[in-house]
Amino acid sequence: TLYEQYFIKNGERPDQISYKLYGDEQYYWVILQINEITDYYSQWPLSQYELDEYILMKYGSDLEADKTKHYETQRVVDREGNLLLPEGLRVSEDYLFEYTDDMGVDKSVKSVPITYRKYEYRMNEEKSEIFIVQPKFVGQFKREVFRYGKELAYMEGNLKFTDYD
């Protein structure tokens, strides 16, 4: 495939990833484009330090950030690995999942609290999972994007036919 998954490391920027993967920082825009990142400041993950500062600013104190935002389910599987209850479903504080295990024993699992801090960490971590163009295809990707741009400009009358190569 053209793309592969990449996990952004703490504090890593698009230009650094571009240099590391493609040997040139100029391809930062490819990384942003294929991940549909149009606002670097809100869509790119924060470093750990920046995230902690953001949380403190947003919630006003560590005490407020550590208050419960909502409750979620825990993952429950049987002995064969069959999923009985997925993790992460929003539920009420008093939610209780009751089931009988393979041995005929009645069991129950309570909801778990998710703090504002944990929620913000999770959202930031989700931003860290991106896709990149495989290094062997980045030159071809760049050519195709520029060719498409020229075609659009020509069709809109911003280029003469002789400018279109």
Side-chain angles (χ1 to χ4, degrees):
T1 64
L2 181 63
Y3 306 114
E4 57 187 36
Q5 195 169 26
Y6 183 85
F7 294 94
I8 300 169
K9 294 173 184 43
N10 184 32
E12 207 169 28
R13 299 186 320 259
D15 60 317
Q16 294 170 323
I17 296 169
S18 174
Y19 185 77
K20 180 167 78 173
L21 299 175
Y22 308 130
D24 192 332
E25 66 277 351
Q26 75 163 320
Y27 296 109
Y28 72 91
W29 63 269
V30 173
I31 295 165
L32 297 175
Q33 183 180 30
I34 65 169
N35 290 284
E36 299 178 1
I37 296 173
T38 56
D39 181 2
Y40 173 81
Y41 297 102
S42 67
Q43 294 176 291
W44 194 260
L46 299 172
S47 70
Q48 186 65 50
Y49 175 78
E50 292 168 330
L51 181 58
D52 288 337
E53 289 293 311
Y54 169 78
I55 291 170
L56 187 58
M57 182 188 70
K58 183 174 181 178
Y59 297 102
S61 70
D62 286 329
L63 185 63
E64 288 298 314
D66 291 330
K67 287 185 177 179
T68 300
K69 181 182 188 314
H70 63 268
Y71 292 84
E72 294 182 358
T73 57
Q74 298 181 56
R75 179 180 165 95
V76 179
V77 295
D78 63 16
R79 286 184 6 178
E80 284 100 35
N82 298 313
L83 183 63
L84 301 178
L85 180 66
E87 176 182 34
L89 300 176
R90 285 192 185 190
V91 293
S92 64
E93 178 181 3
D94 60 351
Y95 178 83
L96 188 64
F97 179 70
E98 299 178 322
Y99 66 101
T100 304
D101 71 10
D102 300 336
M103 304 298 284
V105 178
D106 291 335
K107 294 193 171 195
S108 61
V109 178
K110 293 181 179 181
S111 60
V112 293
I114 303 299
T115 64
Y116 288 97
R117 181 184 311 279
K118 185 171 185 172
Y119 173 79
E120 296 292 350
Y121 278 19
R122 185 184 290 165
M123 295 295 99
N124 198 60
E125 187 175 319
E126 286 178 11
K127 293 177 188 176
S128 296
E129 298 177 31
I130 63 169
F131 286 95
I132 57 147
V133 173
Q134 287 188 34
K136 64 184 175 183
F137 297 123
V138 74
Q140 180 181 350
F141 184 87
K142 177 184 172 184
R143 281 190 300 279
E144 290 297 322
V145 169
F146 283 110
R147 181 178 296 136
Y148 179 71
K150 281 185 173 184
E151 287 177 11
L152 285 179
Y154 177 71
M155 289 168 41
E156 292 174 359
N158 296 330
L159 285 178
K160 298 176 191 149
F161 187 73
T162 56
D163 293 334
Y164 182 74
D165 50 39

